[in-house]
Amino acid sequence: LNLLNASRPPQDPSAHKRRSLPAELKDSIYINNTNMSANLNELQNATVGMTVGVIEVLCLQPFNYCKNMMQQGQPLSADPRVLYRGVMANAVNMGSCTMIQFAVGGSLKKLVSGEEQRTLKMHEEMGTGIVAGVTSALVGSPLELIMIQQQRTGKGSLETFKSIANPNNFFRGFLGAAVREGLWTCGYLSIPPIVRRNLREMYPDKFDTDNKARVPAALLGGLFACYLTQPFDTVKTCMQGDIKRKTYGTFTQTAKKISEDGFTAFYRGATFRYGRMVCAVFMMDYLQAAVGPLLYPSAFK
């Protein structure tokens, strides 16, 4: 044994330690992984957010349709005309909400970090995302109401808008939308940069590019955004699908009614929602890093 040990080359005691990144690579990761919204002004963030949101909706609208129908106990259809029913309202919804989220989130991140260019702490990243999401629900909730009513009735956008344009209906389901958007925005705007940054710093050999780190970041961000917010989204969807209040009344009454079918009733459609969210988190995490420099290259020099 001694002869065998003597024949082996001496082991570097640090060989089993996790490799640390050189300072210049850490700086590069900071630049790439810090949310791009901090490099842009409010108008630029709004433009990037609108673009990213519309692209996401056009690709993933069928997931949204299936989720909404399952939450309300309605039959599903494979007809593309039905799957994309309400897509215009949803595109305006996601475009405007993402625009607001990027603009508010970017402004808050600048406010929190001040003049110092630094990586935000975890609670700062998550806090700015939640506030940006709740703010966007003021616009998103009425637009989702239009989309859900179109999916239920098959009416056009203008006809649907006329049917809900009164104070009793316009912000129906807002509380559920606000909670959901706050946590959802945190899930795609704050968690992926945190996960990506940590993976690249802690495991540089395995995650040597942003795209490799994006997959687990999207899975974790989508998981957080979906299953924490699903009960609130289910209550909101049921309320907005029943504007005549035949089955569902206030937020509390709706939650109580759904709970009669057991706790799992709050998670109807969660599979479609999680599938959409993982795809959306990956797409939006990638697109916000790609669209910003594409539209405003001078801001990233």
Side-chain angles (χ1 to χ4, degrees):
L1 289 174
N2 288 335
L3 288 172
L4 288 172
N5 288 333
S7 66
R8 291 175 180 168
Q11 296 278 328
D12 182 355
S14 64
H16 297 291
K17 294 181 180 178
R18 184 183 294 137
R19 286 179 55 194
S20 61
L21 293 174
E24 61 270 17
L25 184 52
K26 284 188 178 181
D27 290 341
S28 173
I29 290 175
Y30 167 78
I31 293 170
N32 291 324
N33 283 351
T34 298
N35 195 291
M36 291 296 170
S37 60
N39 292 350
L40 304 174
N41 61 38
E42 285 73 12
L43 179 60
Q44 291 169 334
N45 271 317
T47 305
V48 172
M50 174 70 78
T51 304
V52 169
V54 170
I55 292 172
E56 185 270 329
V57 165
L58 294 178
C59 293
L60 304 178
Q61 173 70 7
F63 284 90
N64 204 28
Y65 161 80
C66 293
K67 184 270 298 182
N68 286 340
M69 293 297 101
M70 288 193 70
Q71 285 176 320
Q72 300 171 81
Q74 299 296 310
L76 298 179
S77 171
D79 186 342
R81 294 170 298 178
V82 178
L83 289 171
Y84 276 86
R85 188 179 285 164
V87 67
M88 292 307 296
N90 200 25
V92 174
N93 170 33
M94 279 301 295
S96 58
C97 281
T98 312
M99 174 182 71
I100 294 168
Q101 289 159 6
F102 273 40
V104 174
S107 297
L108 289 174
K109 288 182 178 184
K110 288 178 183 177
L111 184 64
V112 170
S113 62
E115 298 297 324
E116 180 186 0
Q117 189 182 46
R118 64 178 177 86
T119 302
L120 296 184
K121 297 176 182 177
M122 184 180 294
H123 70 274
E124 293 173 334
E125 286 269 15
M126 296 180 74
T128 55
I130 290 170
V131 173
V134 172
T135 303
S136 71
L138 291 167
V139 173
S141 183
L143 288 169
E144 284 196 17
L145 175 60
I146 294 173
M147 177 191 67
I148 289 171
Q149 281 298 304
Q150 280 189 265
Q151 290 174 341
R152 285 292 301 267
T153 65
K155 295 178 181 178
S157 298
L158 184 60
E159 188 179 358
T160 303
F161 177 77
K162 290 179 180 178
S163 70
I164 67 164
N166 68 72
N168 289 331
N169 292 331
F170 209 63
F171 281 98
R172 182 161 169 77
F174 171 76
L175 177 59
V179 175
R180 186 205 61 196
E181 285 302 314
L183 294 177
W184 152 247
T185 307
C186 181
Y188 88 82
L189 205 59
S190 301
I191 289 179
I194 294 170
V195 175
R196 259 188 303 127
R197 185 166 57 242
N198 284 325
L199 288 175
R200 291 205 62 191
E201 288 181 357
M202 296 171 67
Y203 306 101
D205 290 333
K206 193 168 186 178
F207 299 102
D208 54 352
T209 66
D210 271 355
N211 281 335
K212 287 182 180 179
R214 272 195 178 96
V215 175
L219 290 171
L220 287 173
L223 188 67
F224 173 90
C226 178
Y227 286 96
L228 250 63
T229 63
Q230 179 71 12
F232 296 96
D233 184 69
T234 298
V235 174
K236 177 208 74 72
T237 301
C238 290
M239 290 178 68
Q240 291 184 332
D242 182 23
I243 58 172
K244 294 183 179 179
R245 296 162 174 80
K246 291 181 178 179
T247 305
Y248 303 109
T250 65
F251 185 91
T252 305
Q253 291 169 342
T254 302
K256 186 176 179 180
K257 179 68 176 176
I258 295 170
S259 69
E260 292 176 1
D261 294 328
F263 182 73
T264 56
F266 288 102
Y267 284 87
R268 290 173 185 152
T271 303
F272 288 107
R273 188 161 182 251
Y274 181 60
R276 180 211 163 201
M277 282 189 167
V278 170
C279 295
V281 168
F282 184 90
M283 287 176 61
M284 296 172 85
D285 186 37
Y286 174 78
L287 288 171
Q288 68 170 317
V291 173
L294 186 65
L295 294 180
Y296 305 105
S298 61
F300 298 91
K301 289 182 178 178

